[in-house]
Amino acid sequence: MPPITTPKDRLRLAVQKSGRLSTDSLDLLKHCGIRVKSPKERLLLHADNFPIDVLFVRDDDIPQLVMDGVCDLGIVGTNVLEEAALERRTTGAAGGYAVERPLDFGGCRLALALPEERPYSGLRDLQGLRIATSYPRLTGRFLAEQNIQAQVVYLSGSVEIAPRLGIADVICDLVASGSTLEANKLRAVETIFKSTAVLLRNSREFTAEKRHALEILLRRIDGVQRAAEAKYIMLHAPKANLAAIKQLLPGSENPTILPLAGDETRVALHAVCQEAVFWETMESLKQAGATSILVLPIEKMML
Ligand code: PRT
Ligand code: ZN
């Protein structure tokens, strides 16, 4: 039976309703064992097995909701967070927030990109140009730091077509794979900000119940993120090569060594590897005499 809590004892978490961070945000909650139904029908959903309510909103609203204390927590990209924080600083309305955890999704970079045919030899070439972006404050800060005078043209979307429309000379936009730039005959020349999704919190003191729930949530997030990278590896190894084979296992401590029935010269080795196990590692293990190499995913991990 889940503990009975009043709303003031429940954490309120803002996540993106529909977009690039939505699925990963909900998957993270799911992997943390928190049951929330699909956001299709409702804006605010109560988890039925954890004292948390999830509010589904546009990602741009998440920093404000957390800074103003409407939500205790939020999952948002640092690009959106930092842009909002800069805006708040200029209007003097800065609310307290803290980044609790970087999350392992939503990775991208904010980059300056030019039409392919435009020559570029360095930042000085941007002097006096028009730069289209949805991130005017991050872009403006970068230009100020670099002492470059350029005109920032704000566009809420479709920034990549601005040079073709003649609205701007260059753009400053988010890039992940780079295929959007390529399709629009643009090339990235400078990364001005690296972004990832984060778990954000309002920095006011929480009630004891909320503090406790947050502690559990963070512990579970750490467990999920650790498990995502970690692998369980099993192999057979010649006893003589054991030391060399252990050296090859990324981030593993104290592997379990088990005898192999009817084989005096070889043993079975089981180990948790904290880092990704790549094909190259497996090939090196094979060269060191390992056989029957199995690499298995780990679902949860608590140290
Ligand atoms: O409706 P709402 O306001 O909630 O969503 P949105 O349309 O503003 O945001 P959305 O869903 O597009 O992105 C949400 C967040 O995902 C961003 O704020 C980033 O933190 C993160 N993210 C990660 C990205 C990308 N990768 C990304 N590639 N956001 C946008 N893009 C764009 C990029 O600008 C380009 O136009 O996707 C396009 C494809 O990128 P390439 O380089 O892979 O071709
Ligand atoms: Zn948005």
Side-chain angles (χ1 to χ4, degrees), residues 125-169:
D125 294 354
L126 300 173
Q127 194 73 26
L129 298 186
R130 294 164 305 161
I131 306 177
T133 186
S134 303
Y135 298 90
R137 289 175 186 84
L138 280 170
T139 307
R141 180 176 71 180
F142 176 80
L143 295 172
E145 280 166 4
Q146 302 296 326
N147 210 10
I148 290 166
Q149 273 76 48
Q151 186 194 338
V152 176
V153 180
Y154 173 75
L155 290 179
S156 62
S158 305
V159 172
E160 63 278 2
I161 58 168
R164 255 187 299 149
L165 294 179
I167 304 170
D169 307 297

Side-chain angles (χ1 to χ4, degrees), residues 16-22 57-62 76-80 105-109 135 156 158-160 173-182 195-197:
Q16 191 186 23
K17 183 174 167 62
S18 157
R20 284 188 172 82
L21 303 179
S22 311
V57 290
R58 289 197 59 189
D59 70 341
D60 314 70
D61 295 334
I62 293 175
V76 70
T78 47
N79 53 317
V80 171
F105 56 85
C108 57
R109 62 194 176 105
Y135 298 90
S156 62
S158 305
V159 172
E160 63 278 2
D173 199 12
L174 294 178
V175 183
S177 67
S179 51
T180 301
L181 290 185
E182 204 175 306
S195 183
T196 174

Side-chain angles (χ1 to χ4, degrees), residues 61-74:
D61 295 334
I62 293 175
Q64 271 94 326
L65 288 167
V66 176
M67 288 177 194
D68 292 343
V70 179
C71 292
D72 305 302
L73 303 169

